[in-house]
Amino acid sequence: MTAGATPEGTTERQAPLRGSFLYGVVAVALAAGLPFLPFANDYIIAVAVRMLIFIALGQAWNIVAGIGGLLSLGHGVFLGLGCYAAGILFNEYAVPPWLGIWAGGVLSVAVALVMGAMTLRMRGVFFALATIAVSLALDQLARHYVDLTGGDNGLALRFLGNSLWFMQSRTPTPFLYAGLTFVIAYYWITQWVLRTRLGSEMKAVRDDEAAAAAAGVAVFRTKLLGLLLSAVMTSFAGTLYMQSYQAIDPETAFGLSQAIQLQLPALIGGLGTSWGPIIGGTIMILLSESTNWGSTKLGIAGVDILVYGLLLLAVVMYAPKGIMGLFDRRTRGAWRP
Amino acid sequence: MTAIALEVTHIAKQFGGLVALRDVSFRVREGEVMGLIGPNGAGKSTLFEIVSGNLTPSSGRVAFFGRDCTGDPAHLRRRAGLCRTFQKVRLFESMTVAENIAVSARQCVKPGLDWRVEVDAILRRLRLEPQADRMPAEITLADRKKVEIGRAVAGFCRVLMLDESLSGLTHEEAEEMIGEILALNHDTGITVIVVEHVLSVLAAMVKRLVVLNNATVIADGTPNEIAHDPVVIAAYLGTKASVLR
């Protein structure tokens, strides 16, 4: 009776996945082989690292907003917690980031639990507003506790030289592989979420909360789980951000422009899809670097921000489901293979 | 003797100064097909939301197979087998027909059973197999309503509450839908509660009607009894009483 049924009901099914695997292998090979290419230098590798970090951050945001439908406008909160927790523990107590990353994760879970418990039972914009409120509060805290966080000037990591144990390197190449590991892991997590019962619940809640409850979905629990997962993922990627850039300041961690940059990969590439943030993040960073280069040549500051704005406008107007949305019909498989 | 599937006792609901329900009580026996009728504003939708767990009553009690479920949230009632559809069809628009049904099958299927088997069985029963991979926006209203019923009963269902599932359908589509609902009731023993405006349709479907008017129950009986009830005729049916006779 069901011999032919696919194992999971998701928007991304078996046949497209085979194609995805091939694209994935090519993309990973390109990224991993970058340092060995003749034209590669530290600048190009650093751009690739930035790209991978923002793809990972976009993948994390995509879990809560793309799959779960919760508009987290202040997701920099969790990026900042990941950065500051690992940075402070390292600078003050010489705790290696391998442990600091977990501290950031635990802090992020705690903050997400409080935010979620306060807002996720309500409908409407309360959650989105709460994320902005918490990011503003943490911004002020980070500026206030100067001894711990460096205040307005930010927190710079003590540099101890090349060290795997302290996740430090004079060259960006190790972070290329760390970033690639994050992106692969987060892609796998996204796929896992989309294929499991949790993903089915999150999509149902995203589409219609009352209908989801009428289908037996525990709406509050589902939203909270999505938020917690996304918060931890963002925080972990935040620690990688900290180790790669060696510094963080309140504006970079909790500012609005950073929060927007976290959202752009998924928005451009396609919300709720596993490839969306990868494609969107790649486009975003390539565009950012080109416009940076262009603005330097032209001597006009802020062109990259203008281009981001225009890009977002274009996406909203012409591809509201992102680039992956343009291929939606093709990527949708069959209930039975 | 059949069990009491659903028992609504002295339910009242107020929204500020507005009395939406006042001392509403009735029982539905297991396996019964019951109709709930009343004019607009009578309190049918409020009662529906209270029974399904989306609204908390100001006072009163809802019992499901003898167990007080007044404080249970909607998803726990659904998992216990108290299922519903919506007045305006509410499907998961980003999911295919099969995926819509799969959501509740995954939540509610009995331990040890495969939810995929359940999805296929529902698709087959409701003759939705050709539509399984289609998106809700690509199918007819009649099929959308069928998908919603399929999603409502998937996994585990003991009482199915249908909120105007026939509205907007052509006569033929309504006839087919009635056939599907009665077959569900006959084959699986699911208790059915139908909220409907189309009285002629209800007369063909149910053996018992509860009439709500002005926030309270004004009559409870067979369609023929209701059709001859002077209170109901005066308050609601008027010349429409003939369709129930």
Side-chain angles (χ1 to χ4, degrees):
Chain A
M1 185 163 66
T2 57
T6 52
E8 309 295 342
T10 70
T11 50
E12 294 177 304
R13 305 256 182 76
Q14 297 305 304
L17 280 179
R18 281 193 285 272
S20 294
F21 181 74
L22 194 65
Y23 296 138
V25 168
V26 171
V28 168
L30 271 176
L34 183 65
F36 303 104
L37 295 177
F39 59 83
N41 55 36
D42 276 358
Y43 168 72
I44 289 174
I45 295 170
V47 169
V49 170
R50 188 173 164 225
M51 188 183 286
L52 291 168
I53 289 174
F54 274 95
I55 288 173
L57 289 167
Q59 288 172 313
W61 186 76
N62 186 43
I63 296 284
V64 70
I67 302 174
L70 289 172
L71 188 60
S72 178
L73 296 177
H75 222 58
V77 164
F78 307 114
L79 166 72
L81 288 174
C83 289
Y84 275 108
I88 291 168
L89 284 174
F90 176 72
N91 276 3
E92 301 290 325
Y93 308 104
V95 175
W98 296 105
L99 299 176
I101 195 169
W102 294 102
V106 169
L107 265 179
S108 294
V109 164
V111 170
L113 269 175
V114 173
M115 272 169 60
M118 287 168 64
T119 59
L120 290 179
R121 288 188 197 278
M122 298 183 235
R123 293 187 186 176
V125 297
F126 296 102
F127 173 74
L129 291 176
T131 60
I132 294 175
V134 173
S135 61
L136 289 173
L138 288 185
D139 180 283
Q140 289 305 308
L141 283 175
R143 289 179 200 278
H144 182 74
Y145 290 100
V146 179
D147 291 345
L148 211 55
T149 63
D152 291 345
N153 294 328
L155 181 72
L157 286 182
R158 287 186 291 121
F159 189 68
L160 303 178
N162 291 340
S163 165
L164 181 63
W165 179 238
F166 291 118
M167 280 193 209
Q168 292 190 339
S169 168
R170 288 181 203 283
T171 66
T173 306
F175 295 109
L176 178 79
Y177 294 109
L180 193 57
T181 307
F182 266 74
V183 169
I184 293 169
Y186 284 12
Y187 173 83
W188 181 84
I189 290 171
T190 308
Q191 279 286 332
W192 174 80
V193 169
L194 283 169
R195 286 160 169 241
T196 56
R197 180 170 153 174
L198 175 64
S200 154
E201 292 170 345
M202 288 173 73
K203 286 186 286 181
V205 170
R206 175 190 66 192
D207 283 5
D208 190 323
E209 283 188 23
V217 176
V219 173
F220 173 73
R221 174 189 149 277
T222 300
K223 290 200 278 190
L224 193 60
L225 278 178
L227 175 62
L228 293 178
L229 179 59
S230 175
V232 169
M233 288 168 69
T234 308
S235 171
F236 283 2
T239 300
L240 177 65
Y241 183 103
M242 185 67 180
Q243 297 307 125
S244 170
Y245 288 94
Q246 297 282 299
I248 191 72
D249 61 80
E251 179 60 29
T252 307
F254 306 114
L256 185 63
S257 65
Q258 186 73 290
I260 292 172
Q261 289 211 56
L262 298 190
Q263 299 162 22
L264 281 178
L267 287 173
I268 295 169
L271 278 169
T273 64
S274 47
W275 272 98
I278 297 173
I279 294 168
T282 305
I283 291 172
M284 182 182 92
I285 297 299
L286 287 179
L287 204 64
S288 161
E289 290 301 322
S290 324
T291 50
N292 260 341
W293 179 81
S295 66
T296 310
K297 282 277 179 196
L298 295 169
I300 307 168
V303 170
D304 54 335
I305 301 293
L306 180 69
V307 171
Y308 279 163
L310 290 174
L311 180 66
L312 195 56
L313 198 65
V315 167
V316 168
M317 287 177 69
Y318 300 110
K321 289 184 178 174
I323 290 164
M324 289 296 287
L326 299 174
F327 306 100
D328 194 38
R329 293 304 309 179
R330 272 203 287 157
T331 53
R332 203 181 298 136
W335 173 242
R336 291 173 187 78
Chain B
M1 189 176 166
T2 50
I4 302 296
L6 187 71
E7 185 172 19
V8 172
T9 314
H10 304 304
I11 287 285
K13 180 68 184 176
Q14 283 177 271
F15 297 102
L18 176 74
V19 178
L21 289 173
R22 188 174 57 241
D23 196 25
V24 172
S25 299
F26 62 85
R27 287 173 166 188
V28 188
R29 292 198 171 279
E30 187 176 17
E32 195 175 5
V33 181
M34 191 202 87
L36 185 66
I37 60 171
N40 285 334
K44 301 187 299 293
S45 295
T46 306
L47 182 60
F48 211 88
E49 296 301 321
I50 287 172
V51 172
S52 62
N54 284 329
L55 276 179
T56 310
S58 304
S59 63
R61 176 176 177 271
V62 179
F64 185 59
F65 283 93
R67 186 185 159 276
D68 187 347
C69 66
T70 317
D72 291 352
H75 72 277
L76 288 185
R77 296 189 199 200
R78 169 62 182 92
R79 290 180 191 176
L82 183 52
C83 317
R84 67 165 295 181
T85 63
F86 292 87
Q87 193 170 347
K88 187 182 172 198
V89 181
R90 296 172 78 157
L91 298 179
F92 305 127
E93 298 293 332
S94 72
M95 301 185 202
T96 64
V97 164
E99 287 167 352
N100 263 273
I101 296 168
V103 171
S104 53
R106 285 177 116 159
Q107 301 295 327
C108 307
V109 79
K110 287 177 187 167
L113 295 179
D114 189 340
W115 59 269
R116 288 157 291 202
V117 174
E118 177 69 1
V119 173
D120 274 324
I122 297 279
L123 288 171
R124 197 170 47 252
R125 165 174 271 286
L126 295 174
R127 290 190 280 279
L128 285 168
E129 283 170 310
Q131 278 78 31
D133 294 320
R134 296 217 174 152
M135 303 304 283
E138 299 169 345
I139 60 176
T140 64
L141 177 64
D143 282 343
R144 284 170 67 83
K145 286 180 182 259
K146 274 203 235 174
V147 175
E148 203 180 35
I149 290 174
R151 191 181 65 190
V153 300
F156 180 59
C157 179
R158 302 181 82 182
V159 172
L160 173 62
M161 302 195 296
L162 299 168
D163 197 353
E164 299 195 13
S165 285
L166 305 174
S167 65
L169 301 185
T170 65
H171 181 73
E172 291 74 23
E173 288 170 339
E175 290 281 322
E176 190 192 339
M177 188 69 83
I178 291 168
E180 302 283 7
I181 294 165
L182 291 179
L184 258 177
N185 168 257
H186 180 265
D187 300 345
T188 63
I190 290 175
T191 307
V192 181
I193 301 171
V194 191
V195 172
E196 195 56 62
H197 276 309
V198 187
L199 293 177
S200 56
V201 164
L202 267 182
M205 274 183 87
V206 305
K207 291 194 172 71
R208 184 179 152 222
L209 281 172
V210 169
V211 186
L212 274 182
N213 187 50
N214 199 19
T216 195
V217 175
I218 59 168
D220 184 342
T222 65
N224 196 38
E225 287 166 350
I226 297 297
H228 291 92
D229 189 319
V231 177
V232 179
I233 292 170
Y236 175 50
L237 291 179
T239 55
K240 292 184 283 184
S242 59
V243 299
L244 294 175
R245 288 172 186 154

